[in-house]
Amino acid sequence: MARRMGTTRRAAAALLVLAGGCAHFRVAPANVSPATLQEERRVRIAGWGVQEPLITPTNCEGQGMATVMITIRPRDTFIAIVTLGIVRPALIQWTCAKERNGGAR
Amino acid sequence: MTLSRRDLLKGIAATAALRMCGASWPINVLSAQEPSGRLWVNKHMNLSEQVWRHYDVWNHSPDGAMAAPGWRGGFTHLGSILNEAQAMGRRVRAVGARWSLSRWAVCPDVMINTMPLNYHAVGLAPDDLSISAFDPARIVFAQCGTSVRELSETLEARGLSLPTSGASNGQTICGAISTGTHGSARRVGSMQDFMLGLHMLAEDGKQYWIERASAPVVSAAFCQRLGATLVRDDLLFRAAVAGLGSFGIIHAVMFEAVPGFLLEVHRRRLDWPQVAHAAATLELDGLGLPYSDEPFHLDIAVNPYATKRGEGGAIVTAMYQRPLGPVPPRIVSDTAMVPGVDLLALSGKFANLAPRTIKRGVNAMFASMMKATERPPLGTHGQVFPTTALIGNSLSTEIGVDLANAGQALGTLIDVANRYAFPGLFGVRYVQRSDALLAFTKFQTTCTIEMTGAAGPRTENFYARAWAALDQARIPYTQHWGKINNTTAGNLRARWGSSVDQWITARQSLLSPAGRRLFSNDLLSRCGLQA
């Protein structure tokens, strides 16, 4: 009986992890408009942070970013749990900013 | 220290996961994508297209240098892309902020992102104007990618304002006018209605300045400096100003800003039976508004599942124009909780799986929509219609009906929603007739009824049923070009009448058959407008 309860709990926990929606974290400064489509890269931290990704966008033409969004999907969480945090994947998306007041006078 | 069997298993799992991830998540970030051959997705995430060539066009050169005037570099780049596409027999669409929910901006050949083209200047030299009917200090020349937000910011810093805009501010000026974006400033009209001139880049490197013959704006000297051929033609202007991206690429527009003003916003939650008469007639006495004069802006949000007395199923927003003055500072936090990116998509899926929960869900959401305010907010046009934080997979359709038919149309649509619920709400607004040939705000006072909901088959099916019910009730209506619609060659003339042929003739007068193909797409063909 106890064993069955344990299995049920594990199944419920796995279901919660896998069925949950993605977690999004957004940064979007006010008064900055996007100039480009959203670019994205799938990245991961490896070895508890021994190696981590560095994204250097080449599509922003010298402008800053208009938006940055980090997404952690259920399977990313699953991988992080299974690997005890050795591997922590995420999706990073961004748009580039327009030139500020492009030529306004 | 000895490893337990469990630790050993975890280690093996971790190693396996690391290897499994290696192929799809390289530690070194992939190099940047080539600026071509990519998947294009619109803002509301209901459209996507694998595009043969996708270009971001900037005003500066790759080394950061900018030719004078500031728009010249981007314009030259647009021309070279057009020439290349034409030489290769490809079709071209210019895209703004990807706000549209219909496929007007979509084509699998060449799509040009014009968002970086945001040069805009306020004020013309007097010798740039042909007549003195306009105030040169209020004339704005704006490149196609300039957003409504940018325009509001620039104008408001000079004590000026846009005459009207949509409910949010992310659209580019050319994307907005091309599909007939409107607000609910009843005496102003839609965004295309305050345009004065269009700088159009057409086939074979030709460029035109198109304006009304009945309201000429710029001088020959201005066109000469631009390098454009001056075309003064009322019909052509009325066709091209809401031209669905099919007359060429509108590189820039000119319009007259209005003196700045503030809007005093009043919002009341009422029962639908209290509001229905006003919604159908614009006789506002029963709404209990604070002033007897006509509001500058009036819109009504309707919960179609709470239409009885005591259910608070309508939120009426009335805005009154006030002289420009100091605006109370707003307390803004740099962190806020907003609706999640996946909320709409999940709601759409859930609604499809459990349709019986839709009404309860919408009722709960609608009940929490309006917060009580101690004093009416006051703000500039740009502050009152701000950037929306809501992003995600949503759908929207919008019909336009004559005010005389508004009551019947609303009743019909509410009835459809109660027979086949969709996870969404109605928004009712009122717009003055537009003189653009294919504007969907074609009635003297057009009542626009927007039905916005979470994306999914349930919402799509509801739209089909709503249109069918309106057809069955023989209520004449048009559809917003920038939203989900079922306009085809078969029903186009029934909706727009002789304006359709005028629009086609005007397009034929500007473009050769090859040019008309260059600036076309599948939706244009579906609507029978490609001729």
Side-chain angles (χ1 to χ4, degrees), chain A residues 22 24 26 31 33-35 37-39 41-42 44 51 58 61 63 73 83 87 97-99 102-105, chain B residues 17-18 25 27 32 38 58 60 66 98 113 115-116 118-120 123 145 149-150 153 158 338-339 342 389:
Chain A
C22 295
H24 302 281
R26 282 193 268 163
N31 303 335
S33 297
L37 299 185
Q38 196 160 264
E39 291 286 340
R41 298 290 182 271
R42 290 202 183 284
R44 67 179 187 193
Q51 282 192 299
T58 56
E61 302 273 331
Q63 307 305 313
R73 299 164 305 166
T83 64
V87 180
K98 289 184 173 187
E99 284 178 87
R105 64 169 197 248
Chain B
L18 194 61
W25 291 298
I27 290 172
R38 66 167 299 163
W58 297 78
H60 58 251
M66 191 180 278
R98 302 172 295 125
N113 167 26
M115 280 190 286
N118 64 337
Y119 173 92
H120 51 290
R149 187 193 64 71
E150 291 174 298
E153 228 176 58
R158 290 159 176 76
V338 298
D342 296 329

Side-chain angles (χ1 to χ4, degrees), chain B residues 120-124 135-143 146 151 154-155 160-162 196-197 209 253-258:
Chain B
H120 51 290
V122 184
L124 276 190
D135 177 356
R138 289 201 272 127
I139 297 290
V140 182
F141 177 85
Q143 226 177 355
T146 312
L151 286 169
T154 299
L155 292 173
L160 300 170
S161 178
L162 286 171
L196 299 175
W209 181 265
V253 296
M254 185 172 280
F255 66 90
E256 189 176 32
V258 296

Side-chain angles (χ1 to χ4, degrees), chain B residues 32-52:
Chain B
Q33 287 183 345
E34 292 296 312
S36 60
R38 66 167 299 163
L39 182 69
W40 178 92
V41 181
N42 71 334
K43 179 180 168 58
H44 300 285
M45 301 179 191
N46 69 310
L47 302 176
S48 64
E49 183 71 44
Q50 190 65 42
V51 189
W52 178 68

Side-chain angles (χ1 to χ4, degrees), chain B residues 196-327:
Chain B
L196 299 175
L198 310 171
H199 184 202
M200 187 75 76
L201 188 53
E203 59 192 309
D204 299 325
K206 292 175 192 159
Q207 47 167 314
Y208 302 100
W209 181 265
I210 303 172
E211 58 183 29
R212 289 183 179 90
S214 59
V217 187
V218 299
S219 64
F222 174 85
C223 289
Q224 206 169 10
R225 276 195 289 281
L226 214 58
T229 304
L230 178 59
V231 180
R232 286 184 175 143
D233 183 327
D234 277 33
L235 205 63
L236 179 60
F237 182 84
R238 290 170 58 205
V241 75
L244 309 170
S246 305
F247 283 72
I249 295 177
I250 303 177
H251 166 252
V253 296
M254 185 172 280
F255 66 90
E256 189 176 32
V258 296
F261 58 88
L262 297 181
L263 289 170
E264 184 181 313
V265 183
H266 292 264
R267 194 163 283 143
R268 297 198 68 198
R269 180 185 292 277
L270 297 166
D271 293 335
W272 172 244
Q274 287 176 275
V275 176
H277 176 73
T281 60
L282 283 179
E283 291 167 8
L284 308 179
D285 297 343
L287 297 181
L289 295 176
Y291 306 109
S292 57
D293 50 327
E294 183 182 279
F296 173 80
H297 169 113
L298 179 83
D299 72 68
I300 305 167
V302 182
N303 174 2
Y305 315 118
T307 52
K308 296 187 182 124
R309 287 199 185 276
E311 293 184 328
I315 297 174
V316 176
T317 302
M319 301 185 193
Y320 297 87
Q321 218 171 8
R322 298 288 175 253
L324 197 59
V327 176

